[in-house]
């Protein structure tokens, strides 16, 4: 779908404002937008929000065959998904040149900078290794997409724990999270990526540009650093002429940013660990929007009382009991029955009679002829079935407790906490014989 | 690459060819000047570069691989050579991306067929079978750097050059535990002071006299000609790819394969004439190559090819 | 103020049979069926729904802000945020003759009226009314253009809404509101343009009178950092 | 096996700040508008430039010329035989880098709605392939007579125990040695391409950058001499 | 006969680039939905008489091949929207399953409807999704992941508001063997929950439109 083009008047005003150090969201030229990082209730998922850009990253692992060249090294795969939700110009399941560039840069920053110890992902050299897959989904796009994606991926990798494994001569035992505590990935350092926009031949630096600003800038440079003051990636992504001094200045800015964000990531992870160790079920991504925003709404869990099948309620023509052989008359031609349709009905009626005689005993019930008795019998059966439901005491669903209708802010269905069923099918619990 | 020439130019060319004179002065059975340099790529086991008339430029590189194969699965011994022709985009912008792949596969298949009987034709090729289930795999890769007609001919010359440049290391086969075999490079016992790794490994070379060759013979008007330039290729009626191999014992040339390349109608006689022309020119080419391969490569240190 | 969802039937007392059916309501038989979610509005014999949306659907008579995308033959191709491009012939400009054509380049914006939206063809726009006079339409030079939701635009234009009047007390600015959700603002300095842009965006969910004044006051005094 | 021996020499006998010898030949491809064969020691690169010609509708740009680049390596170029010469992620990314770099060098506004094709083929890759490609491409563009801001020159620079080493061979490009590929215009401090492999500590950044910039200037000298010689050689043909 | 509908939360138009966006959660199952259109569509997929629907449910990890769920949402939307109203245009609906704690099918249908309401384009009738599972032949509405996993049969009703205002089935996906009576019981449970969800729609839209009071 088409995105409206950038008009010259917008471009002129934005550039004029940037040159005089002003921006449309009241930020300074070297000020970052606020970062919001949320970790999911599922292990290994994280949503990162920078300004309006929102990205969710999910990490999953499975056992796979290693490549012949590197038999004892685990594999990390990064996959990006650009959906029309992020930008109307994207298409489902189609990775354009923008997507390819994003994947390549993420691989450069996360995989090629060896921030994850791949040797520890090896189970049985040459035969079984862990294949860690990082899925990045872009949910909303407003500039510095790569920073948001990289931050989300790093947080998800920190938050992820793979199941524990013991080696036996002929097979491998994979434990669920209830038998042995899952093992986090061995991460050496955390590369944090920063997109730095550049203006008039690279003299002016614009930090963390929004989508509109990025369209007006001359170009941008991507710098990834970690808190050990190491530069992990340096990538010039648009046609731009810079001086080496300018590059060094950008790297210093990115370095300070990296330290700040590493602190944010480790806080979020520690806070989540504290919650999980206290067995408090983390609310993850469920919406905690302040109620005062007019565009949000909540409705408390409520009691649904299904009325018994009252006889009177359904207007008669609505409950027309369909004959088992459906006569496919064309609904549009309800009024005008054309000539050839008339012989068609005759034909079908005649077939109907043949079927009835040949089938013999089976009552091909025609609504009118079967009469009311049959329908009454059905009603009793349905009623007994429904009664069975209400009276049963030990039913799984505790309905009385939730009867109270006053809106509770966070309603945790009582059922989950009380007892852990043994046949829990939470994530990857199967005791797998490989 | 489509070369556009006007109709009267075509008429001029066809009438010339029928009188055995071509635009650049050659007769129908003449080849353009051939430049052949061997051993140009240090990273390969054998390499050769052939340039045909300052335009068509082909580079052949051979890399050896130790291949283990299941002897039971293959009834008759599979020939160890595998060919892969790749059209570099440098040749023309139509070969960018996937443009050249289709034409490249066609020529690679033709070479695969022409060399299918290579175990019998080349005398010492059977030496590549090392032991039960182990052999040398010879990967012959050709990269076409410039394209101006008669690419198969240039490729076959490059292959012969590269095979003659190929050095295969001598190998000792020692039985190992568990039925497996350990392959060790054979080093001549020179008691000198050099440490074991630095002693040069003994090498053997392939004998390439009877190596098959692919020639394209084209028919323009009523004349058959060899080594067409792009302009001539625009007025071809049809083209045959003829594989010729020198028969050592009877000193004649066998035809190993005939493939029609592109469309066109041919009577039986003209096929007969074309194959004769092919074997005649092949004879000339074989002599030229032998003379060329005998002159040792004397090259200044640091001097490189393509200069 | 009743809110209806698509599929509901309107049986408001004020919607007598004679009233004219407006936006968002379809007449099926004698039932008035709602087809767009919105709040019910009626005003002496006319009933319609005020709908919240961001995607513009061209209606004849709407005044919109269009972006020139290309020039083909004697037509300019315009983007008004709809599925199909819109067209405007060079004759539909004030004072345009065969020879002196309006010089519009790609990326310029114009304020025009939609005057023909037959389905399956591009919408046709014009910058002159019947007497060939511009009445404020034509090219918009300088200034800044940005997009807001359609219902906010309708609210700004509504005479009874005093967002613009309050801003008038603090800023000296020129504003054009297109029905396709695009607003063009011009002010002497870029700083003021930034402040006005900020006020208009924030005023979307402000209803109270005094809240509005405090918002405009705050943004007037606040300095644009940098 | 340290990269620099204690006497300060490298494995192939060069000093740390010494570049490999460069052999080039221009105009050897008859079909292309401009072509160049360049050798950095054992790294051999062939580059051809086609265009500017009328571009395909999909790539056409209204105001400037579209640069399309393809970087491919022959299957026998590296130590191990690769079965796909191009199309893998690494070569697509290098093609994109070359495109971006040369978009800022070529005066693209002078050819609106047209397209220039740049094809680089690494015949033998022995380290700093990207730098060799940039040098070969800028010479091919000069040979094709396409207006440019200047001849771009590129070099790779790594760092070993705080000492910069320049123009790395494939044996020195281990996966621990951090290295920066830098491309500048006419050897001046105008960077058009920067690419970092492996992690580099920030204090070493300025050292590596200066060494790389100095090397680009040296390489530029060589390229300039070659270009002038080529033009002088063609002068009599041009009849002036 | 009773059951319970988990707590529903919703937030509208919180995405910058989508025409209509909704973040909807039932219990702790949470999805983000976006609906953009009617916009231009690629010539190859354009349909002269009607609007083309491009719908995709995308999960967090793995390749997104959810044909069953996509088909249900596609058929429901095709019934809910009068496609002939906007010929030669395209509507793109994307649903991201952010967090899955059971009855994801129903939650995505509700999210899709919220996104459509937020988009504000004309359509025929509001719709919602109700998932009913049978655990040890006892019917549960809107199950959590545990209940859904322990169930022996599932039926997902896509319910839209009929012309007479009562809920009406417009598409249905049945897994496991159900006889007609149990299905009828399930439907009798689904009707009131559908009305409850429709009420929630109205309350959210009322809040959103409260700006137009003056």
């Amino acid at each position: 779908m088409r995105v409206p083009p950038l008009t010259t008047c917008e471009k002129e005003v934005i550039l004029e404002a940037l040159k005089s150090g002003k921006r449309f969201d009241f930020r300074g030229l070297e000020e970052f937008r606020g970062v919001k990082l949320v970790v999911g209730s599922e292990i290994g998922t994280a949503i990162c929000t920078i300004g309006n850009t929102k990205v969710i990253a999910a990490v999953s692992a499975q056992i796979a065959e290693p490549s012949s060249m590197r038999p004892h090294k685990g594999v990390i795969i990064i996959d990006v998904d650009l959906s029309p939700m992020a930008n109307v110009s994207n298409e489902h399941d189609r990775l354009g040149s923008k997507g390819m560039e994003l994947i390549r840069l993420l691989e450069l920053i996360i995989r090629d900078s060896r921030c994850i110890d791949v040797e520890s992902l090896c189970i049985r050299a040459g035969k079984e290794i862990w294949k860690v897959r990082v899925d990045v989904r872009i949910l909303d796009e407003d500039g510095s997409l790569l920073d948001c994606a990289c931050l989300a991926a790093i947080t998800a990798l920190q938050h992820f724990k793979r199941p524990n494994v013991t080696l036996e001569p002929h097979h491998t035992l994979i434990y669920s999270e209830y038998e042995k505590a899952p093992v986090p990935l061995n991460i050496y350092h955390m590369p944090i990526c920063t997109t730095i926009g550049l203006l008039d031949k690279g003299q002016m630096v614009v930090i963390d540009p929004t989508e509109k600003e990025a369209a007006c800038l001359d170009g941008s440079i991507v710098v990834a650093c970690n808190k050990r003051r190491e530069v992990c990636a340096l990538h010039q992504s648009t046609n731009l002429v810079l001086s080496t001094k300018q590059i060094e200045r950008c790297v210093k800015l990115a370095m300070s940013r990296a330290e700040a964000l590493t602190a944010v990531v480790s806080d979020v992870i520690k806070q989540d660990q504290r919650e999980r160790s206290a067995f408090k079920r983390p609310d993850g991504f469920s919406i905690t929007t302040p109620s005062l925003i007019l565009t949000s709404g909540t409705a408390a869990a409520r009691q649904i009382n299904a009325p018994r099948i009252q006889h009177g309620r359904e207007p008669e023509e609505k409950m027309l009991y369909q004959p088992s052989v459906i006569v496919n008359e064309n609904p549009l031609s309800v009024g005008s029955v054309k000539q050839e349709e008339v012989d068609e009905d005759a034909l079908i009626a005649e077939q109907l009679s043949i079927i009835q005689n040949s089938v013999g005993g089976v009552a091909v019930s025609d609504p009118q002829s079967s009469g009311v008795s049959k329908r009454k019998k059905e009603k009793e059966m349905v009623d007994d079935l429904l009664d069975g439901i209400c009276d049963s005491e030990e039913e799984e669903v505790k309905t009385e407790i939730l009867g109270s209708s006053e809106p509770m802010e966070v309603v945790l269905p009582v059922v989950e906490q009380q007892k852990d069923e043994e046949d829990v099918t939470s994530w990857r619990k199967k005791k797998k014989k490989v | 690459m489509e070369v556009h020439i006007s109709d009267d130019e075509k008429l001029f060319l066809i009438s010339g060819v029928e009188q055995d004179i071509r635009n650049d002065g050659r007769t129908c059975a003449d080849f353009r000047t051939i430049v052949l340099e061997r051993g140009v790529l240090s990273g390969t086991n054998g390499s050769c570069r052939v340039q045909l008339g300052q335009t068509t430029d082909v580079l052949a590189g051979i890399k050896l691989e130790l291949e283990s194969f299941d002897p039971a699965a293959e009834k008759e011994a599979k020939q160890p050579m595998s060919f892969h022709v790749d059209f570099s985009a440098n040749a023309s912008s139509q070969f960018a991306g996937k443009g050249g792949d289709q034409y490249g596969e066609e020529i690679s298949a033709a070479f695969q067929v022409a060399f299918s009987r290579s175990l019998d034709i080349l005398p010492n090729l059977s030496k590549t079978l090392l032991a039960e289930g182990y052999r040398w795999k010879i990967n012959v890769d050709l990269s076409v750097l410039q394209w101006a007609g008669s690419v198969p001919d240039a490729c076959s010359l490059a292959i012969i050059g590269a095979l003659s440049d190929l050095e295969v290391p001598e190998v000792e086969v020692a039985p190992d535990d568990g039925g497996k075999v350990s392959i060790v490079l054979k080093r001549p016992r020179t008691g000198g002071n050099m440490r074991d790794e630095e002693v040069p490994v003994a090498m053997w070379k392939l004998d390439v006299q009877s190596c098959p060759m692919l020639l394209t013979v084209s028919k323009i008007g009523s004349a058959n000609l060899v080594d067409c330039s792009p302009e001539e290729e625009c007025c071809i009626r049809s083209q045959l790819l003829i594989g010729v191999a020198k028969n050592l014992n009877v000193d004649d040339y066998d035809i190993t394969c005939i493939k029609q390349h592109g469309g066109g109608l041919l009577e039986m006689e003209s096929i007969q004439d074309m194959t004769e022309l092919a074997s005649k020119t092949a004879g000339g080419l074989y002599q030229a190559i032998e003379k060329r391969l005998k002159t040792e490569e004397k090259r200044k240190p640091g001097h490189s090819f393509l200069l | 103020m009743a809110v209806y969802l698509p599929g509901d039937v309107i049986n408001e007392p004020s919607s007598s049979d004679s009233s004219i059916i407006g936006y968002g309501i379809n007449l099926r038989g004698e039932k008035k069926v709602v087809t767009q979610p919105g709040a019910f509005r009626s005003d002496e014999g006319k009933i319609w729904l005020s709908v919240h949306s961001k995607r513009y659907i061209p209606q004849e008579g709407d005044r919109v802000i269009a972006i020139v995308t290309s020039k083909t033959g004697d037509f300019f191709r315009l983007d008004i945020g709809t599925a199909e491009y819109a067209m405007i012939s060079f004759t539909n400009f004030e004072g345009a003759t065969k020879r002196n054509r309006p010089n519009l380049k790609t990326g310029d914006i114009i304020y025009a009226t939609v005057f023909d939206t037959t389905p399956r063809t591009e919408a046709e726009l014009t910058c002159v009314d019947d007497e060939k006079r511009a009445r404020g339409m034509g090219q918009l030079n300088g200034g800044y253009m940005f997009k807001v939701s359609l219902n906010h635009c309708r609210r700004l234009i509504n005479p009874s809404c005093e967002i613009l009047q309050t801003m008038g007390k603090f800023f000296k600015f020129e504003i054009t509101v297109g029905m396709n959700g695009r607003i063009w603002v011009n002010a002497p300095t870029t700083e003021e343009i930034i402040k006005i842009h900020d006020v208009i965006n924030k005023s979307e969910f402000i209803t109270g009178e005094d809240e509005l004044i405090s918002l405009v006051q705050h943004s007037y005094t606040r300095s644009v950092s940098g | 096996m340290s990269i620099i021996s204690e006497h300060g020499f490298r494995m192939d006998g060069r000093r740390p700040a010494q570049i490999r010898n460069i052999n080039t030949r221009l105009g050897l491809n008859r079909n292309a508008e401009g072509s160049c064969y360049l050798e950095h020691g054992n790294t051999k690169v062939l580059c051809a430039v086609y265009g500017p010609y009328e571009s395909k509708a999909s790539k056409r740009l209204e105001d400037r010329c579209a640069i399309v680049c393809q970087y491919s390596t022959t299957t026998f170029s590296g130590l191990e035989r690769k079965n796909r010469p191009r199309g893998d992620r690494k070569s697509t990314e290098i093609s994109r880098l070359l495109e971006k770099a040369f978009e800022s060098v070529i005066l693209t506004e002078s050819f609106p709605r047209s397209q220039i094709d740049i094809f680089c083929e690494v015949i033998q890759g022995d380290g700093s392939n990207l730098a060799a490609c940039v040098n070969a491409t800028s010479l091919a563009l000069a040979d094709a007579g396409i207006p440019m801001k200047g001849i771009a020159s590129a070099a790779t620079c790594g760092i070993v125990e705080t000492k910069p080493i320049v123009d790395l061979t494939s044996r020195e490009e281990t996966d621990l040695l951090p290295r920066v590929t830098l491309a500048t215009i006419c050897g001046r401090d105008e960077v058009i391409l920067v690419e970092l492999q492996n992690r580099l500590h920030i204090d070493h950044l300025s050292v590596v950058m200066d060494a790389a910039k100095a090397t680009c200037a040296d390489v530029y000298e060589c390229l300039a001499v070659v270009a002038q010689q080529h033009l002088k050689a063609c002068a009599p043909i041009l009849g002036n | 006969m009773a059951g319970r509908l988990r707590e529903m939360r919703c937030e509208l138009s919180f995405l910058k680039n989508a025409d209509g966006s909704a973040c909807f959660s039932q219990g702790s199952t949470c999805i983000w939905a976006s609906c953009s259109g009617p916009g231009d569509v690629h010539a190859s997929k354009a349909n002269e008489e009607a609007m083309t629907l491009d719908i995709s449910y995308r999960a967090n990890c793995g390749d997104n091949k959810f044909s069953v769920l996509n088909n249900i949402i596609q058929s429901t939307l095709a019934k809910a929207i009068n496609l002939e109203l906007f010929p030669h245009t395209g509507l793109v609906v994307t649903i991201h399953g952010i967090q899955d704690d059971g009855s994801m099918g129903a939650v995505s249908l509700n999210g899709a409807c919220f996104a459509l309401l937020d988009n504000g384009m004309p359509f025929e009738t509001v719709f919602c999704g109700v998932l009913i599972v049978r655990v040890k032949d006892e019917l549960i509405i809107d199950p959590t992941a545990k209940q859904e996993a322990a169930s022996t049969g599932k039926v997902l009703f896509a319910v839209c508001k009929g012309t007479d205002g009562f809920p009406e089935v417009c598409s249905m996906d049945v897994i496991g063997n159900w006889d007609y009576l149990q299905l009828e019981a399930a439907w009798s449970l689904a009707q009131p929950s559908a009305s409850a969800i429709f009420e929630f729609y109205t309350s959210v839209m009322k809040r959103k439109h409260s700006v137009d009071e003056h």
Side-chain angles (χ1 to χ4, degrees), chain D residues 36-211:
Chain D
C36 156
Y37 168 72
L38 182 110
E39 278 185 7
H40 266 292
N42 279 336
T43 303
K44 304 176 199 291
V45 172
L46 190 64
C47 173
V49 168
Y50 290 84
Y53 60 90
E54 215 232 337
S55 69
K56 291 198 287 293
S58 59
K59 289 194 166 49
R60 188 168 300 145
L61 296 172
E62 288 308 314
D63 50 357
R64 53 189 167 77
C65 164
I67 311 279
V68 175
C69 192
Q70 178 180 307
Y71 166 89
S72 61
T73 53
T74 52
T75 47
F76 42 79
S77 62
L79 293 176
E80 280 157 26
R81 179 181 179 277
K82 294 195 288 295
N83 43 30
R84 253 162 35 116
R86 56 193 157 277
D88 60 335
R89 278 231 177 91
K90 195 103 188 62
S91 43
T92 24
E93 203 239 332
I94 292 183
S95 320
R96 222 183 40 73
L97 266 178
L98 284 173
E99 258 168 47
K100 294 291 177 224
F102 281 98
E103 252 166 43
S104 50
V105 175
I106 298 171
L107 301 174
T108 48
E109 290 72 25
S110 42
F111 307 100
R113 300 170 66 89
S114 63
Q115 177 179 344
I116 292 180
D117 286 351
I118 298 172
F119 301 119
C120 287
E121 182 87 27
V122 176
I123 295 175
Q124 186 173 298
D126 181 22
S128 49
N129 299 355
L130 177 56
C133 276
V134 171
N135 298 332
T137 308
S138 46
L139 279 181
L141 288 168
D143 182 34
I146 291 174
M148 290 194 290
K149 289 185 185 130
I151 289 191
S153 59
T156 324
C157 175
I159 190 146
V160 173
E161 302 113 11
T162 75
K163 279 206 295 305
I165 59 173
V166 174
D167 201 357
L168 307 164
T169 61
S170 61
R171 278 228 298 247
E172 286 160 348
E173 280 185 346
T174 62
D175 48 15
L176 289 175
L177 182 91
R179 52 188 184 276
V180 168
T181 310
L182 199 76
T184 60
I185 300 180
C186 298
R188 294 194 297 266
D189 186 2
E190 290 170 14
V191 176
I192 55 167
L193 176 124
V194 64
E195 169 74 7
L196 169 73
Q197 309 271 356
N198 303 333
R199 301 198 300 276
L200 169 73
H201 199 275
I202 189 162
D203 311 340
H204 301 322
L205 184 67
S206 52
V207 170
V208 170
M209 282 292 186
D210 299 344

Side-chain angles (χ1 to χ4, degrees), chain A residues 402-413:
Chain A
L402 296 170
S404 62
S405 66
E406 93 288 350
M408 279 175 287
E409 192 47 43
V410 173
V411 174
L412 303 182

